Amino acid sequence: MEKTTDEKRQGESLIIEPNENNSKKLFIESYGCAMNFSDSEIVASILSKEGFNTTQHLEEADLVLVNTCSIRDKAEQTVRKRLEKYNAVKRINPKMKVGVLGCMAERLKSKFLEEEKIVDLVVGPDAYKDLPNLLSEVEAGRDAINVVLSKDETYGDISPVRLNTNGITALVSITRGCDNMCTFCVVPFTRGRERSRDPQSIIEEINDLATKGYKEITLLGQNVDSFLWYGGGLKKDFVNASDMQKATAVNFSKLLSLCAEAHPKMRIRFSTSNPQDMSLEVIKTMAKYDNICNHIHLPVQSGSNRILKAMNRLHTREEYFTLIDNIRSIIPDCVISQDMITGFPTETEEDHQDTLSLMEYVKYNFGYMFTYSERPGTLAERKLDDDVPESTKKRRLSEVIELQLKHSEFRTKQYLGKTVEVLVERQSKKSNLHWSGRTQQNIVAVFPKENHKIGDFVNVKVTDCTKATLIGNAIDIVQQK
Ligand code: SAH
Ligand code: F3S
């Protein structure tokens, strides 16, 4: 259950529909959060115009790109190991070029070129449009780097090439960067200032997905609830925006309504919500539209007011409870999930007990739990001693995980005997006779395949469950692809 955003999806290589005119081969793999996977689709789209088709075979690649994560030290170590693997392949295929994209590229900049001789190209998350120029540099035998962060780049004008797709669920990025400055987090440094994407281009992307038969989209951002479009640029410029711009501004709640109304049959999800920015209006909008899924990922990180403050999370434990109460009263069947960090600097046993009691109050459906990992350059690293021993961090983590498992089981059991609507996404990992999909509330469900197929919405009667998965039988089909 210690799922982490970087462990959830590790190093998947991506493959897209080949363009017949393209002769060069790109191997691109992604680590980390959903945003990285979404970004790799943008990169593949840019490089498709430069003559690259994707391949799943590292050995035959002309260009290898790795989209990296810096969120915890472990995520960075995983990428370093991959570079060793590329090195081995390069000995056999010396013409192969290697590029590093994403958060590690932004964090380490030219140090990457010095530390890792294999790397020819370093590109930060806002510089992907410069890839064609950078590749020319590499072709000319020079190392190439662009890690300039932007105040307005949203890649809204690039239609991503869907990679490794099941043709059913897709990621749609709506904001980039983060202005929150949580003291433990490296993201504001690697992904820059927060900016929102033009709603028009978001709707167009969803229209395109609907035409292609997609059934579910996830609106993505580091902090989706702070989405604000009034013509582009940074949020602070909103203060100086014209009255007209302010009157026509679109906030996250409005964006959700726009998406829900444009495609009433499309399931709409979003991630991630920072509790301090989630408004009542958003919760009411979720309740108003059937197709906005009743799941909120609401990371809290700690249950102690003292630690929340030290983390620069701008809400108290009591305010968080009020938010939870509001969600539960407006959307009674809403699934709520968490991210939690154990062993943040100065965390005492009492703080840790506060985390456990907060969890007891909420009884989350599931969560992603981590020990604190000090990140260079963050405020916590500069101002606080990483003073909780590793063994204590780990022991607290196991206690948090154990409690979460208990709550997951409690929540999952509530579905026994009930009928849930499942969107079929793939074959079950454990049995080729079963489909796996998710309920509207984002709970995984498996059931015998019979004559159903990927993309069907199927009513499933729940007969059994594990801690995280519902098991049942299809009783009827709701809608066919
Ligand atoms: N807003 C983001 C959060 C990004 S980081 C999102 O969209 O998911 C994801 C999670 O990683 C955080 O919620 C936090 O629980 C964890 N995390 C971030 N920095 C960390 C650190 N230095 N050590 C341990 N966990 C961390
Ligand atoms: Fe990181 Fe906090 Fe933003 S966790 S991504 S700084 S909301």
Side-chain angles (χ1 to χ4, degrees):
M1 196 68 186
E2 187 205 353
K3 295 188 194 164
T4 69
T5 2
D6 45 300
E7 283 154 2
K8 257 189 298 179
R9 298 177 70 182
Q10 280 234 358
E12 287 171 24
S13 67
L14 305 165
I15 189 96
I16 60 169
E17 291 244 319
N19 175 334
E20 281 171 16
N21 302 321
N22 286 351
S23 57
K24 290 180 277 186
K25 292 204 168 77
L26 164 70
F27 179 90
I28 177 165
E29 61 181 349
S30 312
Y31 291 83
C33 65
M35 189 66 87
N36 263 3
F37 285 77
S38 169
D39 281 359
S40 290
E41 298 186 335
I42 287 163
V43 168
S45 171
I46 293 169
L47 290 182
S48 167
K49 295 190 182 70
E50 298 301 308
F52 285 93
N53 279 341
T54 50
T55 172
Q56 280 188 310
H57 306 290
L58 179 58
E59 294 72 17
E60 65 176 30
D62 299 296
L63 175 64
V64 174
L65 294 178
V66 57
N67 204 342
T68 60
C69 174
S70 283
I71 202 81
R72 283 168 291 276
D73 185 55
K74 202 169 149 205
E76 293 203 349
Q77 294 314 323
T78 311
V79 169
R80 299 270 186 188
K81 286 227 174 64
R82 278 310 277 166
L83 292 175
E84 282 171 25
K85 168 77 184 165
Y86 302 160
N87 222 343
V89 175
K90 192 163 176 165
R91 270 182 231 123
I92 306 160
N93 175 10
K95 282 206 200 123
M96 182 180 102
K97 303 291 179 203
V98 174
V100 181
L101 315 176
C103 288
M104 263 177 102
E106 193 63 50
R107 194 177 84 70
L108 292 162
K109 304 186 169 57
S110 58
K111 258 201 236 159
F112 235 126
L113 296 167
E114 291 151 27
E115 288 173 11
E116 303 277 358
K117 293 286 165 251
I118 173 105
V119 174
D120 306 292
L121 178 71
V122 176
V123 194
D126 284 348
Y128 299 143
K129 282 188 190 156
D130 195 29
L131 269 165
N133 299 326
L134 295 166
L135 283 176
S136 316
E137 286 293 297
V138 172
E139 279 312 312
R142 290 185 284 271
D143 285 341
I145 177 164
N146 186 343
V147 287
V148 176
L149 287 171
S150 158
K151 286 180 185 157
D152 43 30
E153 183 60 85
T154 61
Y155 300 110
D157 54 335
I158 294 185
S159 66
V161 189
R162 304 292 158 187
L163 300 160
N164 268 7
T165 174
N166 55 2
I168 304 298
T169 57
L171 305 169
V172 175
S173 123
I174 63 162
T175 68
R176 295 185 72 83
C178 186
D179 282 354
N180 274 342
M181 297 304 277
C182 302
T183 56
F184 53 82
C185 184
V186 77
V187 170
F189 303 94
T190 59
R191 289 192 162 268
R193 299 297 303 273
E194 183 184 296
R195 61 226 104 113
S196 299
R197 177 177 167 192
D198 182 350
Q200 186 64 32
S201 81
I202 297 172
I203 297 289
E204 277 163 20
E205 189 174 334
I206 302 173
N207 290 346
D208 181 51
L209 288 164
T211 315
K212 291 179 175 144
Y214 282 79
K215 299 287 165 80
E216 180 184 298
I217 54 141
T218 304
L219 304 175
L220 273 189
Q222 300 299 337
N223 183 21
V224 284
D225 294 78
S226 69
F227 178 92
L228 182 66
W229 174 262
Y230 59 95
L234 298 183
K235 213 166 169 183
K236 70 172 174 47
D237 300 335
F238 185 59
V239 182
N240 302 319
S242 70
D243 290 346
M244 176 68 175
Q245 276 176 303
K246 282 186 179 167
T248 55
V250 176
N251 64 10
F252 184 54
S253 160
K254 186 83 199 299
L255 179 72
L256 276 178
S257 309
L258 288 173
C259 298
E261 279 170 22
H263 295 282
K265 291 210 168 132
M266 179 83 90
R267 273 187 180 180
I268 295 164
R269 301 191 185 284
F270 56 88
S271 184
T272 298
S273 296
N274 186 316
Q276 73 205 39
D277 293 309
M278 180 151 213
S279 67
L280 260 184
E281 200 190 347
V282 165
I283 305 169
K284 286 182 185 156
T285 305
M286 291 176 72
K288 184 171 164 195
Y289 297 97
D290 278 351
N291 59 329
I292 303 179
C293 295
N294 292 345
H295 166 221
I296 305 175
H297 187 54
L298 202 58
V300 68
Q301 322 296 357
S302 167
S304 149
N305 276 334
R306 197 180 64 79
I307 296 294
L308 285 171
K309 198 157 181 218
M311 287 175 161
N312 195 32
R313 304 285 290 188
L314 300 180
H315 63 83
T316 60
R317 154 192 183 95
E318 292 74 22
E319 284 162 341
Y320 189 77
F321 288 154
T322 306
L323 181 59
I324 297 287
D325 293 347
N326 283 332
I327 295 169
R328 298 242 188 265
S329 74
I330 299 171
I331 315 170
D333 67 345
C334 195
V335 158
I336 304 176
S337 53
Q338 46 88 350
D339 288 350
M340 213 66 89
I341 297 176
T342 64
F344 184 80
T346 77
E347 187 188 69
T348 61
E349 230 27 65
E350 198 186 332
D351 296 319
H352 171 58
Q353 288 305 323
D354 282 349
T355 296
L356 296 176
S357 72
L358 177 140
M359 290 176 72
E360 202 59 77
Y361 184 91
V362 184
K363 293 194 175 54
Y364 296 97
N365 294 73
F366 58 94
Y368 303 100
M369 296 150 279
F370 321 92
T371 53
Y372 172 68
S373 166
E374 187 178 77
R375 307 312 295 133
T378 57
L379 209 71
E381 185 259 345
R382 286 185 278 136
K383 299 267 185 275
L384 301 167
D385 259 357
D386 185 6
D387 59 357
V388 179
E390 206 51 40
S391 57
T392 309
K393 287 181 186 173
K394 285 200 174 128
R395 194 251 308 146
R396 289 180 188 163
L397 178 66
S398 348
E399 289 174 15
V400 165
I401 291 173
E402 198 182 322
L403 186 59
Q404 182 53 57
L405 287 176
K406 200 177 107 193
H407 292 156
S408 296
E409 187 173 18
F410 165 77
R411 291 284 179 204
T412 314
K413 277 191 170 156
Q414 311 282 310
Y415 290 101
L416 285 176
K418 298 212 170 113
T419 299
V420 291
E421 186 185 290
V422 179
L423 171 59
V424 183
E425 287 176 48
R426 58 180 63 86
Q427 184 168 287
S428 156
K429 279 188 195 123
K430 293 200 178 131
S431 150
N432 58 11
L433 300 175
H434 287 72
W435 287 130
S436 169
R438 277 173 301 151
T439 68
Q440 204 256 31
Q441 289 100 327
N442 214 4
I443 304 294
V444 175
V446 295
F447 62 96
K449 280 183 177 173
E450 297 174 35
N451 56 350
H452 302 294
K453 53 187 187 313
I454 292 179
D456 286 348
F457 285 94
V458 181
N459 277 331
V460 172
K461 174 122 187 197
V462 181
T463 53
D464 197 0
C465 66
T466 66
K467 288 191 176 72
T469 307
L470 306 176
I471 302 164
N473 289 301
I475 51 173
D476 60 41
I477 188 153
V478 185
Q479 188 191 324
Q480 250 169 340
K481 189 172 154 79

Short mmCIF file of all heavy atoms in Angstrom, two decimals, residues 178 180-182 184-185 187-188 222 274 313, ligand 2:
data_model
loop_
_atom_site.label_atom_id
_atom_site.label_comp_id
_atom_site.label_asym_id
_atom_site.label_seq_id
_atom_site.Cartn_x
_atom_site.Cartn_y
_atom_site.Cartn_z
N CYS A 178 3.72 25.32 -9.95
CA CYS A 178 3.02 25.42 -8.66
C CYS A 178 3.59 26.62 -7.91
O CYS A 178 4.80 26.81 -7.84
CB CYS A 178 3.22 24.15 -7.84
SG CYS A 178 2.25 24.16 -6.32
N ASN A 180 2.74 27.14 -4.64
CA ASN A 180 2.43 26.94 -3.22
C ASN A 180 3.63 26.93 -2.28
O ASN A 180 3.49 27.23 -1.11
CB ASN A 180 1.62 25.67 -3.03
CG ASN A 180 0.14 25.94 -3.22
OD1 ASN A 180 -0.28 27.09 -3.15
ND2 ASN A 180 -0.64 24.93 -3.46
N MET A 181 4.76 26.55 -2.77
CA MET A 181 5.96 26.56 -1.93
C MET A 181 5.81 25.79 -0.61
O MET A 181 6.16 26.30 0.47
CB MET A 181 6.41 28.00 -1.64
CG MET A 181 6.80 28.79 -2.86
SD MET A 181 8.11 28.03 -3.85
CE MET A 181 9.56 28.56 -2.98
N CYS A 182 5.31 24.58 -0.69
CA CYS A 182 5.37 23.70 0.48
C CYS A 182 6.87 23.51 0.76
O CYS A 182 7.64 23.28 -0.18
CB CYS A 182 4.71 22.35 0.19
SG CYS A 182 2.98 22.55 -0.30
N PHE A 184 8.80 21.28 1.86
CA PHE A 184 9.51 20.02 1.56
C PHE A 184 9.64 19.77 0.06
O PHE A 184 10.34 18.85 -0.34
CB PHE A 184 8.75 18.84 2.19
CG PHE A 184 7.29 18.79 1.81
CD1 PHE A 184 6.90 18.24 0.60
CD2 PHE A 184 6.32 19.32 2.64
CE1 PHE A 184 5.56 18.21 0.23
CE2 PHE A 184 4.98 19.31 2.28
CZ PHE A 184 4.60 18.75 1.07
N CYS A 185 8.96 20.56 -0.77
CA CYS A 185 8.69 20.14 -2.15
C CYS A 185 9.59 20.83 -3.18
O CYS A 185 9.76 22.05 -3.17
CB CYS A 185 7.23 20.41 -2.46
SG CYS A 185 6.75 19.81 -4.08
N VAL A 187 8.98 20.71 -6.45
CA VAL A 187 8.24 21.00 -7.69
C VAL A 187 8.24 22.50 -8.09
O VAL A 187 8.46 22.82 -9.26
CB VAL A 187 6.79 20.45 -7.61
CG1 VAL A 187 5.93 20.94 -8.76
CG2 VAL A 187 6.82 18.93 -7.60
N PRO A 188 8.02 23.44 -7.15
CA PRO A 188 8.04 24.84 -7.56
C PRO A 188 9.38 25.25 -8.22
O PRO A 188 9.41 26.15 -9.04
CB PRO A 188 7.82 25.60 -6.25
CG PRO A 188 7.09 24.64 -5.38
CD PRO A 188 7.66 23.29 -5.73
N GLN A 222 -0.63 20.40 -10.75
CA GLN A 222 -0.07 20.21 -9.41
C GLN A 222 -1.08 20.64 -8.37
O GLN A 222 -1.08 20.16 -7.25
CB GLN A 222 1.21 21.02 -9.24
CG GLN A 222 2.32 20.68 -10.21
CD GLN A 222 2.78 19.25 -10.09
OE1 GLN A 222 2.60 18.62 -9.05
NE2 GLN A 222 3.36 18.72 -11.14
N ASN A 274 -5.09 20.76 -3.55
CA ASN A 274 -4.50 21.18 -2.28
C ASN A 274 -5.64 21.70 -1.41
O ASN A 274 -6.38 22.58 -1.84
CB ASN A 274 -3.46 22.28 -2.54
CG ASN A 274 -2.72 22.65 -1.26
OD1 ASN A 274 -3.34 22.81 -0.20
ND2 ASN A 274 -1.42 22.78 -1.35
N ARG A 313 1.85 24.46 4.67
CA ARG A 313 0.52 24.08 4.18
C ARG A 313 -0.42 25.08 4.86
O ARG A 313 -0.45 25.16 6.09
CB ARG A 313 0.17 22.65 4.57
CG ARG A 313 1.19 21.62 4.12
CD ARG A 313 1.14 21.31 2.66
NE ARG A 313 -0.05 20.58 2.27
CZ ARG A 313 -0.22 20.07 1.04
NH1 ARG A 313 0.69 20.24 0.10
NH2 ARG A 313 -1.31 19.41 0.74
FE1 F3S B 2 4.55 20.55 -4.14
FE2 F3S B 2 2.93 21.70 -2.45
FE3 F3S B 2 2.87 22.39 -5.00
S1 F3S B 2 3.38 19.52 -2.57
S2 F3S B 2 3.52 20.57 -6.09
S3 F3S B 2 4.54 22.73 -3.60
S4 F3S B 2 1.12 22.07 -3.66
#
